[in-house]
Amino acid sequence: MGTKQQITEKITALLKDSKLSVTDTRMKILELFMKSNGALEHSDIETQAGQSFDRVTVYRTLQTFLDKGIIHKIPTTDTSVRYAVCKSECSEHDHHDHHVHFKCESCGTTTCLDETNIPEISLPKGYAMHNVEVVVSGVCKTCK
């Protein structure tokens, strides 16, 4: 992952490339994503931030990151929303999150499986596809 300084430089560059101001809140939230082994929920960010970011500030920051193509949402089977950092090919108006997500039934982590593409889906005539989300559940390699 790199040293603290390398992570800070990477986050600063990411924010500037996305034409966003470099703020303490944005830096801290992106640092949490960079250090996580998987996806994060809103509550994870509030808990791990170590500072008192109010719920609205975290929500607005996550929404800004979504809008700018910095993070993407991961579908869940419950009411929670998980987020993960997008790869470099995503941009403000064009997300390329065409990969499978894996949720471990043992430890609860959700991971992007970037090397596993979503299979091609053939829809019946008259249907138009906009988005496909695939979540596989099981036991991760750490818990196995």
Side-chain angles (χ1 to χ4, degrees):
M1 175 183 313
T3 66
K4 173 94 169 141
Q5 181 177 347
Q6 289 170 324
I7 294 170
T8 300
E9 289 171 2
K10 183 176 181 178
I11 293 169
T12 301
L14 180 59
L15 290 170
K16 287 182 179 181
D17 289 347
S18 298
K19 297 178 177 52
L20 290 172
S21 301
V22 177
T23 66
D24 289 341
T25 301
R26 290 175 179 164
M27 292 290 292
K28 183 64 177 176
I29 291 174
L30 278 176
E31 182 180 347
L32 292 173
F33 277 108
M34 299 292 180
K35 289 181 176 180
S36 82
N37 291 327
L40 296 174
E41 290 183 27
H42 188 280
S43 60
D44 296 329
I45 294 165
E46 286 183 34
T47 303
Q48 295 175 22
Q51 302 175 29
S52 56
F53 291 140
D54 66 66
R55 188 172 212 89
V56 174
T57 300
V58 173
Y59 174 80
R60 286 183 180 156
T61 302
L62 292 173
Q63 189 59 51
T64 298
F65 291 167
L66 283 168
D67 293 344
K68 291 292 188 174
I70 295 172
I71 62 173
H72 63 277
K73 284 185 181 182
I74 298 175
T76 62
T77 55
D78 57 19
T79 58
S80 65
V81 178
R82 295 177 194 265
Y83 305 90
V85 175
C86 291
K87 301 305 170 200
S88 59
E89 65 270 7
C90 290
S91 66
E92 182 172 356
H93 302 290
D94 195 15
H95 278 281
H96 296 283
D97 299 313
H98 304 290
H99 57 264
V100 174
H101 296 94
F102 187 89
K103 174 149 173 65
C104 181
E105 296 168 343
S106 182
C107 66
T109 61
T110 301
T111 309
C112 295
L113 301 179
D114 297 317
E115 66 282 356
T116 307
N117 291 320
I118 294 175
E120 186 175 328
I121 309 239
S122 178
L123 295 176
K125 186 174 181 178
Y127 289 83
M129 183 177 349
H130 293 150
N131 187 36
V132 177
E133 299 171 335
V134 177
V135 178
V136 176
S137 62
V139 181
C140 71
K141 62 184 178 183
T142 304
C143 294
K144 191 170 180 183

